[in-house]
Amino acid sequence: MLVAFSVAPSGTGREDASVHDAVAAAVKIVRESGLPNSTDSMFTTIEGEWNEVFDVVRRATEAVGEYGSRVSLVLKADIRPGYEGEISGKVDRLERALDSSS
């Protein structure tokens, strides 16, 4: 399964409303998990089995909770049993489709 998620604290008390330290704490947990992952400006995507992926999301969310009085979690999952390597496979297929349409 692929899970794309975004987690951020609110009620941080920071004048600039920045959440980069909290997001860094979450991404550190994702990267240390050893699961395939990718982070962009909006989401972090991880790939793995149901229990391992959601354990990482839970721990990342808890880490972000240390930075504010509440946490917002947005999550989207692509559950496709029997498939692996989709974190890059989906993008590779898209690129080939774009190349062939040119």
Side-chain angles (χ1 to χ4, degrees):
M1 85 179 329
L2 293 173
V3 170
F5 74 103
S6 173
V7 60
S10 59
T12 64
R14 290 181 66 149
E15 284 186 33
D16 66 356
S18 178
V19 297
H20 65 272
D21 292 329
V23 172
V27 171
K28 182 174 190 266
I29 288 169
V30 171
R31 291 182 179 174
E32 289 176 349
S33 76
L35 295 175
N37 65 83
S38 168
T39 299
D40 61 37
S41 62
M42 295 291 291
F43 289 94
T44 294
T45 303
I46 58 177
E47 182 172 18
E49 297 298 320
W50 186 279
N51 288 337
E52 60 190 1
V53 168
F54 278 96
D55 176 62
V56 173
V57 171
R58 178 188 54 79
R59 291 186 291 119
T61 302
E62 289 171 350
V64 167
E66 299 293 321
Y67 290 84
S69 59
R70 80 192 309 172
V71 176
S72 172
L73 172 65
V74 175
L75 184 141
K76 182 171 182 173
D78 181 0
I79 303 163
R80 196 171 184 194
Y83 285 79
E84 292 181 13
E86 292 298 284
I87 200 164
S88 59
K90 291 175 79 168
V91 176
D92 293 343
R93 288 189 298 277
L94 170 65
E95 293 297 336
R96 285 194 303 272
L98 288 169
D99 289 344
S100 69
S101 69
S102 299

